[in-house]
Amino acid sequence: MNTPYEINTEGDRIVYVKAVEVAELPRDVRAQAGDLDHLYAVHDSDGQQLALVADRKLAFALAREHDLSPVAVH
């Protein structure tokens, strides 16, 4: 969960933030999630996951830090 990722800053500026159930993630990610039930994923417009963080506010802040416009997915 702490692996740096170069976010593409060209093209579409919208990213999507959605809650992800920890139980549905790969074993190594589940181990890093500790006692959390869900994490928040940030995806680009093509559906590629850019980040996975523990907090919704952090997901939005991360997107804005990279000059992206986060949108919540329900």
Side-chain angles (χ1 to χ4, degrees):
M1 287 185 350
N2 293 325
T3 304
Y5 181 83
E6 184 64 35
I7 295 178
N8 182 6
T9 58
E10 298 178 13
D12 195 359
R13 309 301 299 165
I14 296 175
V15 293
Y16 302 91
V17 177
K18 70 175 190 171
V20 178
E21 295 293 324
V22 171
E24 298 175 6
L25 297 171
R27 184 179 305 147
D28 59 330
V29 177
R30 288 192 311 253
Q32 293 180 48
D35 61 350
L36 296 174
D37 293 327
H38 59 274
L39 299 173
Y40 290 87
V42 180
H43 293 266
D44 66 13
S45 60
D46 293 327
Q48 180 179 356
Q49 182 176 298
L50 304 175
L52 188 62
V53 296
D55 182 270
R56 185 177 186 274
K57 284 185 179 182
L58 178 59
F60 277 78
L62 177 68
R64 290 183 183 118
E65 256 183 45
H66 289 87
D67 298 320
L68 300 169
S69 299
V71 176
V73 174
H74 299 283

